[in-house]
């Protein structure tokens, strides 16, 4: 193996984005990935029993990818990426046959809210209006840069009216926010569901701004044409164009540290790969600091912080995937014909109080009454199924430790898939004849496939007050640097966290290039920020 300037561990989208930027800056890099394909959560697989039916087994709804700075910087459309943003972005189907709708445009969204509560529709307009500048001027820039220490951030925010308003609203919990501001139980439930998607503990103070921020965000759900893996392929192409290499089916055994600096990686095959300047890990803190570093190199306080790192109780997902002769046709379309083109569809959720029940079940390791959401991707991208056919999926938040042990999922998967199918069929009766194949995936399957998603946590670490921003993954490692010079973090355990945002990788690129004294047009102010 030749020597490299840097080695990146894990070829998920964050690792690949970091690598492509470093390549553009002229660095010679290698990314090592344990799986036979790159992309991590950007995964599209063909059903082996039914050729031509493609399924996105991890990330599918991707927020505002086309507005991300890396999407343009890395010229991903030139490398084949294409995104679709359906106008009826989200529809919540209630058990009494109504639909609460979020459109990419705020006006039809407000009209839909008004069918449930005139007052809630007015409240929605007010919060959306008030938070647009807060999102644009504060929250978006914060997500795209190295986090400030909490005291400095608070002092900075306190200097402007918008900043003070943000601090005031975030002092609430999401539950307090919706109960204070909205009145209709289905509207409250729908809004919290959006917040739940971000996996914040709804009871946790410090996150009260999340709902208002989502309402005001330009970030609507999009999907990748050709499947989520098409974005991974475009990222890989950008990496290779910039001279980067990706070694698949290569697992690190340890990170080499020489003279106090990260110096490379030894693989499970006992191969030594040297890195002149840095090693960056997109894995979780236990993998990086405990599995891959010699114990003598990890001071006790860091080891203790790593051991305390929490994964999301509520993040694990169970998935039911269907191959179909025709798309689901929802009963509610009789009154809401636009549902035939709905993107994300939510079922089983009628009342805000169901969240308490879901949390209780997750704590006990039992299965709550089904609340599920999903899509029929082929309505918008027929290339994901054979001609005239469709694929569709539903996800449900279910506990990782089913009845105390994740291994119980292997025996319980099919029966649970059947429970979900029955609920789906109640809303879309044509599913009784339309299904030509199906499979399920449990939270344990997620962890088996992507071990960085420990306990099935797809956000790779809980969003709690001491694990966000400067403190993510923990205090002292929140600027993508670690206690070992030349060893960096670049995955979802770092700010701003999980989901397909690419921002941990994007921010880590700014820091690493700043530390190396390298420059890139994309990051004109990197030295000032990263220093
Ligand atoms: C069922 C499910 C549904 C989801 N839905 C959405 C969604 O709709 N929208 C959304 O935005 N997000 C969604 N996510 C979350 C999203 O997939 C993740 O948050 C995102 O993939 C994290 O990106 P990453 O690059 O940090 O890590 P990953 O994508 O997990 O990439 C990490 C890479 O590291 C590799 N790796 C792990 N361990 C090692 C090792 N020891 N050695 C070498 N390589 C290793 C992995 O194989 C992987 O390729 C979903 C996830 C799941 C599981």
């Amino acid at each position: 193996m030749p020597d490299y300037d840097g080695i990146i561990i894990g070829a998920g989208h964050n690792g690949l984005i970091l690598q492509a930027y470093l390549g553009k800056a002229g660095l010679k890099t290698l990314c090592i990935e344990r799986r036979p394909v790159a992309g991590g959560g950007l995964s599209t697989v063909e059903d082996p029993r039914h050729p031509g039916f493609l399924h996105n087994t991890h990330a599918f709804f991707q927020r505002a990818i086309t507005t991300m700075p890396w999407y343009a910087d890395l010229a991903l459309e030139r490398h084949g990426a294409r995104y679709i943003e359906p106008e009826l972005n989200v529809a919540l189907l209630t058990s009494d046959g109504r639909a609460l709708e979020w459109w990419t445009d705020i006006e039809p969204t407000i009209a839909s809210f008004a069918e449930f509560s005139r007052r809630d529709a007015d409240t929605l307009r007010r919060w959306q209006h008030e938070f647009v500048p807060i999102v644009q001027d504060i929250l978006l820039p914060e997500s795209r840069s190295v986090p400030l220490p909490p005291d400095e951030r608070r002092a900075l925010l306190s200097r402007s009216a918008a900043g003070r308003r943000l601090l005031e609203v975030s002092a609430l919990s999401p539950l307090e926010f919706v109960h204070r501001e909205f009145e209709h139980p289905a509207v409250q439930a729908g809004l919290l569901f959006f917040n739940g998607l971000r996996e914040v503990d709804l009871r946790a103070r410090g996150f009260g701004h999340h709902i208002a921020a989502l309402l005001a965000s330009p970030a609507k759900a999009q999907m990748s044409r050709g499947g989520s893996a098409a974005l991974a392929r475009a990222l890989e192409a950008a990496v290779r164009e910039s001279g980067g290499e990706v070694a698949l089916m290569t697992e690190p055994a340890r990170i080499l540290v020489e003279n106090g600096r990260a110096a490379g990686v030894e693989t499970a095959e006992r191969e030594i790969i040297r890195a002149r300047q840095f090693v960056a890990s997109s894995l979780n803190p236990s993998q990086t600091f405990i599995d891959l570093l010699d114990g003598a190199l990890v001071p006790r306080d860091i080891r203790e912080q790593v051991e305390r790192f929490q994964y999301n109780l509520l993040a694990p997902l169970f998935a039911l995937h269907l191959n179909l002769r025709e798309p689901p046709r929802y009963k509610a379309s009789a009154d809401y014909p636009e549902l035939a083109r709905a993107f994300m569809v939510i079922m089983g959720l009628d009342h805000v109080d169901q969240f308490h029940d879901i949390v209780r079940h997750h704590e006990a390791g039992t299965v709550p009454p089904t609340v599920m959401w999903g899509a029929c991707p082929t309505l918008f991208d027929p290339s994901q199924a054979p001609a005239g056919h469709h694929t569709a999926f539903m996800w449900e938040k279910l506990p990782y430790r089913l009845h105390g042990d994740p291994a119980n999922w292997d025996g319980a998967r099919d029966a649970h898939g059947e429970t979900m199918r029955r609920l789906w069929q109640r809303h879309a009766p044509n599913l009784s004849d339309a299904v030509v194949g199906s499979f399920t995936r449990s939270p344990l399957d997620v962890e088996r496939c992507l071990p960085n998603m420990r306990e099935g946590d797809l956000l790779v670490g809980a969003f709690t007050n001491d694990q966000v921003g400067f403190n993510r993954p923990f205090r002292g490692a929140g600027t993508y640097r670690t206690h070992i010079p030349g060893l960096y973090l670049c995955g979802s355990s770092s700010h701003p966290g999980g989901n397909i945002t690419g921002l941990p990788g994007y921010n880590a690129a700014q820091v690493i290039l700043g530390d190396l004294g390298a420059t890139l047009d994309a990051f004109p102010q990197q030295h000032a920020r990263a220093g």
Side-chain angles (χ1 to χ4, degrees):
M1 274 274 178
D3 285 0
Y4 295 89
D5 290 313
I7 296 172
I8 294 146
I9 305 174
H13 78 301
N14 281 310
L16 293 173
I17 287 168
L18 167 66
Q19 191 181 14
Y21 275 110
L22 298 180
K24 275 164 76 79
L27 299 177
K28 186 172 158 55
T29 57
L30 173 74
C31 183
I32 58 175
E33 163 60 48
R34 66 184 280 278
R35 301 196 64 229
V37 284
L42 292 171
S43 148
T44 306
V45 296
E46 186 170 25
D47 183 339
R49 293 159 309 159
H50 297 96
F53 287 95
L54 304 185
H55 292 273
N56 301 289
T57 46
H58 298 135
F60 175 71
F61 302 107
Q62 299 171 37
R63 282 193 177 273
I65 293 297
T66 51
T67 68
M68 292 293 172
W70 46 266
Y71 189 79
D73 289 347
L74 303 178
L76 294 181
E77 296 208 344
R78 185 163 55 73
H79 293 298
R82 289 286 180 283
Y83 271 81
I84 303 163
E85 186 176 286
E87 285 183 359
L88 176 46
N89 217 239
V90 183
L92 166 63
L93 307 185
T94 59
S95 55
D96 61 0
R98 302 168 79 193
L100 178 64
E101 299 174 344
W102 281 262
W103 294 75
T104 49
D105 183 5
I106 188 71
E107 290 307 327
T109 309
I110 288 171
S112 174
F113 273 54
E115 285 182 30
F116 287 76
S117 154
R118 184 68 255 168
R119 202 189 100 185
D120 285 351
D122 293 339
T123 310
L124 174 72
R125 184 187 295 284
R126 186 162 44 79
W127 278 105
Q128 199 263 353
H129 183 73
E130 183 171 4
F131 254 66
V132 164
I134 294 179
V135 168
Q136 278 306 328
D137 301 339
I138 302 176
L139 294 171
L140 275 184
E142 278 190 343
S143 69
R144 293 164 186 199
S145 45
V146 181
L148 293 173
D151 293 350
E152 261 180 64
R153 174 177 186 260
R154 174 167 281 277
L156 189 66
L157 290 177
S158 304
R159 279 194 227 140
S160 70
R164 287 192 294 277
R165 183 66 168 145
L166 174 60
L167 288 172
E168 188 188 313
V169 179
S170 55
L172 300 170
S173 73
L175 265 171
E176 287 169 335
F177 176 82
V178 289
H179 280 296
R180 194 184 77 176
E181 296 296 321
F182 294 89
E183 63 177 12
H184 194 286
V187 168
Q188 291 173 332
L191 289 170
L192 282 171
F193 185 82
F194 264 168
N195 189 82
L197 270 186
R198 307 294 308 176
E199 325 298 344
V200 171
D201 184 335
L202 306 175
R203 303 158 296 182
R205 295 218 165 112
F207 298 98
H209 64 287
H210 268 238
I211 290 170
L214 280 171
L215 292 174
S217 167
K220 306 299 178 224
Q222 301 180 325
M223 64 177 272
S224 165
R225 193 183 294 279
S228 300
L231 177 61
R233 289 193 292 272
L235 286 168
E236 259 192 289
V239 164
R240 293 193 199 283
E241 185 180 70
S242 71
E245 296 171 37
V246 179
L248 300 173
M249 298 178 78
T250 305
E251 209 163 327
R254 68 189 176 107
I255 295 170
L256 303 177
V257 177
E258 288 170 2
N259 303 320
R261 259 196 91 78
V265 163
E266 179 177 350
T267 69
E269 252 87 72
R270 300 283 163 239
E271 185 179 15
I272 303 283
I273 314 174
R274 298 205 165 269
R276 284 184 288 268
Q277 319 242 38
F278 71 90
V279 173
S281 168
S282 69
L283 309 187
N284 68 38
S286 334
Q287 290 175 301
T288 306
F289 293 94
I290 295 179
D291 299 350
L292 295 179
L293 278 176
D294 188 311
L297 296 168
V298 185
R300 204 170 86 195
D301 64 314
I302 293 189
R303 171 174 283 268
E304 284 171 1
Q305 296 204 79
V306 171
E307 285 166 352
R308 276 201 302 273
F309 188 72
Q310 285 173 30
Y311 294 88
N312 278 286
L313 180 71
L314 284 177
L317 291 186
F318 183 99
L320 168 65
H321 293 265
L322 301 181
N323 301 330
L324 297 170
R325 265 189 215 98
E326 57 184 25
R329 300 198 198 287
Y330 292 102
K331 266 197 300 201
S333 323
D335 294 323
Y336 302 87
E338 67 277 15
L339 287 177
R341 301 290 295 166
F343 187 35
M344 181 194 298
V345 177
I346 308 168
M347 284 169 263
L349 183 63
D350 287 294
H351 199 287
V352 63
D353 290 348
Q354 286 172 262
F355 281 102
H356 300 291
D357 206 28
I358 291 173
V359 172
R360 268 196 303 277
H361 277 283
H362 275 76
E363 283 166 352
T366 50
V367 175
T370 299
V371 173
M372 61 187 196
W373 74 104
C376 176
T378 42
L379 283 175
F380 309 97
D381 176 12
S383 77
Q384 298 192 35
H389 288 71
H390 288 269
T391 58
F393 68 93
M394 281 289 148
W395 288 330
E396 182 180 357
K397 285 176 181 294
L398 287 178
Y400 169 75
R401 281 186 194 76
L402 181 64
H403 307 303
D405 184 353
N408 286 330
W409 272 121
D410 288 337
R413 254 187 7 198
D414 292 348
H416 189 73
E418 190 47 29
T419 305
M420 290 170 81
R421 201 191 52 76
R422 278 198 300 272
L423 173 62
W424 204 346
Q425 198 173 308
R426 268 210 299 285
H427 285 274
N430 72 319
L431 288 184
S432 61
D433 292 328
V435 180
V436 294
S438 69
F439 65 93
T440 54
R441 284 174 57 93
S442 74
L444 179 60
D445 295 326
V446 167
E447 185 190 54
R448 282 176 177 142
C449 179
L450 299 169
N452 50 313
M453 295 187 186
R454 194 155 163 181
E455 301 177 14
D457 178 1
L458 53 92
L459 297 167
V460 205
F463 286 115
T464 58
N465 281 311
D466 53 0
Q467 288 189 184
V468 291
F470 188 76
N471 293 327
R472 190 172 178 91
F474 50 81
R475 206 173 172 80
T479 61
Y480 309 93
R481 301 180 184 91
T482 68
H483 67 289
I484 296 182
L487 177 61
Y488 295 89
L489 303 179
C490 64
S492 295
S493 301
S494 294
H495 170 77
N499 281 328
I500 305 300
T501 68
L503 296 174
Y506 174 79
N507 293 340
Q510 300 182 48
V511 170
I512 296 173
L513 288 174
D515 286 357
L516 298 181
T519 51
L520 196 61
D521 289 347
F523 305 137
Q525 63 298 51
Q526 87 209 10
H527 293 292
R529 280 222 217 94

